[in-house]
């Protein structure tokens, strides 16, 4: 993407990388990070808008938005009339497993697929959840029948903590951030994972193992979906160039490059799951790992928490970390 926009417009892109959104946000809010365009997580968007550290976009510089972006995201729920953002990338969180190590296993065969972690026998020491507060607790809330993954109800979060304690005692649950490696190596047989992880896992498999053993499930309705958006700094020194960058990323050619490089979907025409497979952009085995427009439209998303809610979540996570 950087080479293409340099060749087209003569723009040099100087990226700054951060380890996590939580690491970047204080720098963004304090003004200590000098940027024109920022890849903003969904839960951060209301915060940066409220603190006036980003500016509205000028749609006349973004013709690819109206021309290419999926219809249901033309005025997305998180940014009415696309006033501040252009869509970034989408991925889903679900269950990944090794079919050769768990033959005949299918999460969809369970009345509550998320409960498979708690119901399967013979998987002690072979189970992993993300070492991310929001993802790990959210999937456990869904397993417990709580559809609001942004709840700050202490009773719901306490129940999620207890469920993860039970799972840890039963299976010696690991918390980590490398599901693509541990799944490929057979260290774990079943994991909480992102769809992109079963794409990356192929590159870590032993040569004698077919990538077809890497499986992924997320529900059609109510899947945990994560996305980010591109926004422009209120103090951008190069606002036109920032718009050109955002518009550039909404071309199908860039969507193809992104999914092949990182296994995540840019929501533009031609990047629908079935087209990505039919056009040979990605292998058919990844059909369930790429979120469909329907899954995105019907998904559940991490949202911002109040200060009190953040404290409740952090306390719950500290309890999980104390025994996991």
């Amino acid at each position: 993407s950087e080479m293409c926009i340099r060749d087209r417009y003569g723009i040099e892109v100087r990226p700054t990388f951060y380890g996590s959104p939580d690491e970047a946000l204080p720098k963004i809010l304090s003004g200590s990070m000098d940027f024109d365009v920022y890849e903003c997580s969904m839960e951060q968007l209301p915060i940066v808008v409220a603190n006036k550290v980003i500016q509205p976009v000028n749609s006349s510089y973004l013709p690819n938005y109206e021309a290419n972006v999926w219809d249901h995201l033309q005025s997305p729920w998180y940014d009415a009339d696309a006033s501040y953002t252009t869509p970034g990338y989408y991925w889903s969180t679900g269950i990944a497993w090794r079919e050769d190590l768990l033959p005949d296993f299918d999460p969809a065969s369970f009345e509550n697929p998320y409960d498979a972690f708690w119901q399967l026998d013979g998987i002690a020491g072979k189970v992993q959840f993300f070492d991310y507060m929001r993802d790990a607790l959210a999937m456990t809330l869904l397993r417990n029948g709580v559809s609001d993954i942004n709840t700050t109800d202490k009773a719901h979060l306490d129940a999620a903590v207890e469920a993860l304690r039970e799972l840890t005692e039963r299976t010696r649950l690991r918390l980590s951030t490398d599901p693509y490696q541990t799944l490929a190596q057979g260290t774990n047989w079943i994991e909480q994972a992102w769809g992109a992880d079963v794409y990356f896992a192929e590159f870590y498999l032993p040569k004698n193992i077919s990538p077809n053993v890497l499986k992924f499930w997320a529900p059609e309705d109510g899947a945990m979906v994560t996305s980010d958006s591109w926004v422009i700094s209120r103090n951008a020194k190069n606002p036109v160039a920032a718009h050109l960058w955002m518009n550039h990323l909404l071309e199908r050619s860039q969507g193809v490059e992104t999914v092949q490089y990182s296994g995540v979907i840019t929501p533009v025409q031609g990047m629908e799951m079935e087209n990505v497979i039919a056009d040979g952009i990605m292998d058919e085995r990844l059909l369930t790992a790429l979120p469909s427009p329907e899954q995105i439209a019907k998904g559940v998303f991490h949202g911002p928490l109040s200060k009190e809610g953040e404290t409740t979540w952090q306390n719950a996570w500290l309890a999980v970390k104390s025994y996991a």
Side-chain angles (χ1 to χ4, degrees):
S1 295
E2 293 172 23
M3 291 179 62
C4 289
I5 199 165
R6 182 184 63 198
D7 293 343
R8 181 178 296 183
Y9 300 114
I11 295 171
E12 289 291 339
V13 178
R14 295 194 300 272
T16 298
F17 298 99
Y18 51 89
S20 70
D22 289 340
E23 174 191 326
L25 184 60
K27 298 176 182 178
I28 297 291
L29 295 179
S30 69
S32 63
M33 185 181 288
D34 181 22
F35 69 97
D36 291 312
V37 63
Y38 171 55
E39 191 175 0
C40 182
S41 66
M42 185 73 72
E43 59 265 31
Q44 286 185 356
L45 183 59
I47 300 172
V48 295
V49 171
N51 283 273
K52 299 181 179 179
V53 295
I54 65 172
Q55 62 177 279
V57 296
N58 184 334
S59 60
S60 66
Y61 286 102
L62 300 169
N64 284 340
Y65 200 123
E66 183 177 356
N68 294 349
V69 172
W70 293 341
D71 289 345
H72 77 273
L73 292 174
Q74 287 289 328
S75 179
W77 61 269
Y78 54 84
D79 181 22
D81 299 322
S83 301
Y84 288 93
T85 66
T86 58
Y89 315 116
Y90 282 78
W91 63 96
S92 55
T93 303
I95 300 174
W97 71 99
R98 280 277 296 269
E99 188 177 48
D100 55 332
L101 301 175
L102 284 175
D104 304 320
F105 170 68
D106 180 2
S109 67
F110 289 75
E111 182 177 352
N112 177 354
Y114 294 120
D115 199 38
F117 289 101
W118 283 260
Q119 295 297 323
L120 281 175
D121 293 322
I123 58 171
K126 304 296 182 182
V127 184
Q128 182 171 292
F129 266 43
F130 275 123
D131 192 2
Y132 295 139
M133 175 181 76
R134 298 296 296 268
D135 277 349
L137 286 171
M139 182 174 282
T140 311
L141 288 167
L142 292 172
R143 177 261 181 182
N144 288 351
V146 179
S147 59
D148 179 8
I149 65 169
N150 301 300
T151 182
T152 56
D153 187 314
K154 187 174 183 298
H156 288 327
L157 290 166
D158 285 348
V161 170
E162 176 62 19
L164 287 172
R165 184 191 64 77
E166 293 173 3
L167 186 61
T168 301
E169 289 185 354
R170 188 171 187 273
T171 69
R172 302 195 302 275
L173 175 70
R174 292 188 183 94
L175 296 177
S176 189
T177 58
D178 60 350
Y180 54 93
Q181 290 180 299
T182 52
L183 193 68
Q185 295 162 356
T187 306
N188 295 319
W189 298 354
I190 179 172
E191 301 178 325
Q192 180 187 41
W194 297 329
D197 288 317
V198 297
Y199 169 62
F200 283 115
E202 177 177 350
F203 304 107
Y204 293 85
L205 276 173
K207 292 183 179 179
N208 62 328
I209 302 293
S210 167
N212 290 329
V213 303
L214 302 168
K215 301 296 182 182
F216 181 83
W217 173 91
E220 286 300 311
D221 193 349
M224 289 175 59
V225 179
T226 306
S227 72
D228 45 37
S229 299
W230 291 100
V231 299
I232 299 176
S233 169
R234 181 183 179 185
N235 298 317
K237 297 174 183 176
N238 304 285
V240 174
H243 281 84
L244 293 175
W245 169 258
M246 294 161 74
N247 190 63
H248 171 69
L249 294 177
L250 296 179
E251 295 178 0
R252 185 174 185 269
S253 61
Q254 293 308 303
V256 170
E257 182 178 306
T258 296
V259 74
Q260 290 182 328
Y261 178 76
S262 57
V264 295
I265 288 292
T266 305
V268 296
Q269 301 298 327
M271 293 305 300
E272 297 81 8
M273 176 183 62
E274 61 274 14
N275 290 330
V276 170
I277 302 300
D279 292 349
I281 297 167
M282 299 289 271
D283 191 272
E284 187 175 1
R285 75 175 187 85
L286 297 167
L287 187 64
T288 62
L290 303 173
S292 67
E294 292 74 23
Q295 279 180 309
I296 291 171
K298 298 177 181 179
V300 293
F301 292 79
H302 296 305
L305 302 171
S306 65
K307 289 184 178 180
E308 295 80 6
E310 184 77 25
T311 299
T312 304
W313 273 74
Q314 289 176 347
N315 287 338
W317 189 235
L318 285 172
V320 172
K321 297 279 280 188
S322 70
Y323 55 71

